[in-house]
Amino acid sequence: MKKIVNISLFLLIISFLEIIIEFIIEKIMSSPDKTTLIIIYEMIGYILNIPIIYYFIKSNKKKKYFVTKEKMNIGSFIGCFALMTLITTIIGIVFFVFKLKIESNDNSILPDYPTLYVNMTLFSTIIIAPIIEEMIFRGVIMNDLKEYGYKTAIIINSVLFGLAHTEIEKVIITIFLGIIFSYVAYRYSLRYSVLLHMVWNLNSSMGSIFYYNKMPDEMIIWFVAVLSLALIVISIFGIIKKKYIMIFSIFRLSIEDKKNMTLFLKNNAIFLIMISVIFFTNFYLWYL
């Protein structure tokens, strides 16, 4: 418990440098087309994630990330997905009501990009990102922090997961989504959190997918509205029936949990300061 150096947090810092390096490259390059730029961005992201992914592969045999502790049935899967929908809806409403949404300096929308860009983005969002992010946060980070107790491991890795998303609204949302992904990985297996993450990103990309398949706007709106409403009803029913009591219990910290959290903050203060500096630098560049 007295460990000062945490190799996984050090490796996470390297991957957090992505946006800063991308910003520098974009300023250096002379008006590259969007397709070229996205390829460069994707390559930078993959390269900076190599050290922590290598660490994941090397420690997989010892930590057995993909070992299934308990089989996750379809009802539990839908329940978690529904709760995620309710959370994003509530946060979206709060941001709208209090006018907290901040627009970045990039006002372009996905349909304005070339088809190749869109296809690469969708593939990365739906397939690659969930695998890599779950390997990093629910695999390496959460497992390395279990010495501080599972609640500390879940909360800290979820906060770091949120900070990896620069847009202010996404930071808040992904922290809470990270809690659910972490719960699924901890109770069931990393394979289930990867699957849930993929389905969630697929759902989030449905608007773009429908748009490029020439579906009418009215059909897209109705589909999203009906699906969201159904999931929200399911999540509310689950709350009433206390289906999420184990997830909500993560936020109830015992005296021992608080001691563990304090010890983690003390032992890893330098890493947390570095991550905070990188996050706020990224945040500044994003909204510059």
Side-chain angles (χ1 to χ4, degrees), residues 82-99:
L83 181 59
M84 292 163 65
T85 302
L86 178 64
I87 290 172
T88 54
T89 300
I90 292 174
I91 294 176
I93 292 174
V94 169
F95 270 70
F96 177 79
V97 171
F98 293 96
K99 300 180 179 179

Side-chain angles (χ1 to χ4, degrees), residues 171-232:
V171 169
I172 305 300
I173 290 175
T174 49
I175 287 176
F176 286 100
L177 298 187
I179 296 291
I180 298 176
F181 289 141
S182 300
Y183 161 77
V184 170
Y186 178 80
R187 179 176 177 180
Y188 302 103
S189 168
L190 189 64
R191 69 180 76 249
Y192 288 108
S193 65
V194 170
L195 179 60
L196 181 62
H197 201 151
M198 284 182 174
V199 175
W200 178 258
N201 283 9
L202 171 62
N203 176 71
S204 302
S205 304
M206 290 304 290
S208 297
I209 293 173
F210 287 166
Y211 178 89
Y212 276 93
N213 282 279
K214 310 299 182 182
M215 294 186 67
D217 291 344
E218 296 80 5
M219 184 177 295
I220 298 175
I221 294 172
W222 274 104
F223 175 84
V224 173
V226 171
L227 178 60
S228 299
L229 180 60
L231 290 170
I232 290 173

Side-chain angles (χ1 to χ4, degrees), residues 100-139:
L100 298 175
K101 186 173 181 63
I102 304 175
E103 296 296 337
S104 74
N105 60 321
D106 183 5
N107 296 317
S108 57
I109 57 176
L110 192 58
D112 290 336
Y113 288 101
T115 302
L116 178 59
Y117 170 93
V118 174
N119 291 335
M120 291 179 60
T121 301
L122 290 175
F123 179 77
S124 176
T125 299
I126 299 170
I127 305 298
I128 303 300
I131 295 175
I132 292 180
E133 290 178 354
E134 292 306 305
M135 287 171 59
I136 293 174
F137 294 99
R138 262 61 67 181

Side-chain angles (χ1 to χ4, degrees), residues 120-283:
M120 291 179 60
T121 301
L122 290 175
F123 179 77
S124 176
T125 299
I126 299 170
I127 305 298
I128 303 300
I131 295 175
I132 292 180
E133 290 178 354
E134 292 306 305
M135 287 171 59
I136 293 174
F137 294 99
R138 262 61 67 181
V140 172
I141 303 298
M142 189 172 77
N143 275 274
D144 273 15
L145 298 185
K146 280 183 180 178
E147 63 176 311
Y148 296 100
Y150 84 94
K151 289 186 179 180
T152 298
I154 287 177
I155 292 173
I156 295 300
N157 101 79
S158 299
V159 170
L160 295 175
F161 178 57
L163 295 180
H165 298 75
T166 308
E167 304 95 316
I168 186 63
E169 188 174 6
K170 285 187 178 180
V171 169
I172 305 300
I173 290 175
T174 49
I175 287 176
F176 286 100
L177 298 187
I179 296 291
I180 298 176
F181 289 141
S182 300
Y183 161 77
V184 170
Y186 178 80
R187 179 176 177 180
Y188 302 103
S189 168
L190 189 64
R191 69 180 76 249
Y192 288 108
S193 65
V194 170
L195 179 60
L196 181 62
H197 201 151
M198 284 182 174
V199 175
W200 178 258
N201 283 9
L202 171 62
N203 176 71
S204 302
S205 304
M206 290 304 290
S208 297
I209 293 173
F210 287 166
Y211 178 89
Y212 276 93
N213 282 279
K214 310 299 182 182
M215 294 186 67
D217 291 344
E218 296 80 5
M219 184 177 295
I220 298 175
I221 294 172
W222 274 104
F223 175 84
V224 173
V226 171
L227 178 60
S228 299
L229 180 60
L231 290 170
I232 290 173
V233 170
I234 292 173
S235 63
I236 293 175
F237 180 79
I239 292 174
I240 295 174
K241 292 293 183 178
K242 298 182 178 180
K243 299 287 187 180
Y244 304 117
I245 191 167
M246 291 186 66
I247 298 178
F248 295 153
S249 68
I250 294 171
F251 298 99
R252 294 199 295 269
L253 301 180
S254 65
I255 295 177
E256 185 66 23
D257 291 326
K258 293 177 182 178
K259 288 182 179 178
N260 288 335
M261 186 74 72
T262 301
L263 185 60
F264 166 79
L265 296 175
K266 177 182 178 181
N267 286 353
N268 299 279
I270 184 65
F271 288 145
L272 296 177
I273 291 173
M274 293 173 67
I275 289 173
S276 298
V277 170
I278 294 173
F279 168 75
F280 285 111
T281 302
N282 287 341
F283 182 83

Side-chain angles (χ1 to χ4, degrees), residues 72-86:
M72 188 179 193
N73 59 44
I74 187 64
S76 298
F77 188 92
I78 294 175
C80 288
F81 192 87
L83 181 59
M84 292 163 65
T85 302
L86 178 64

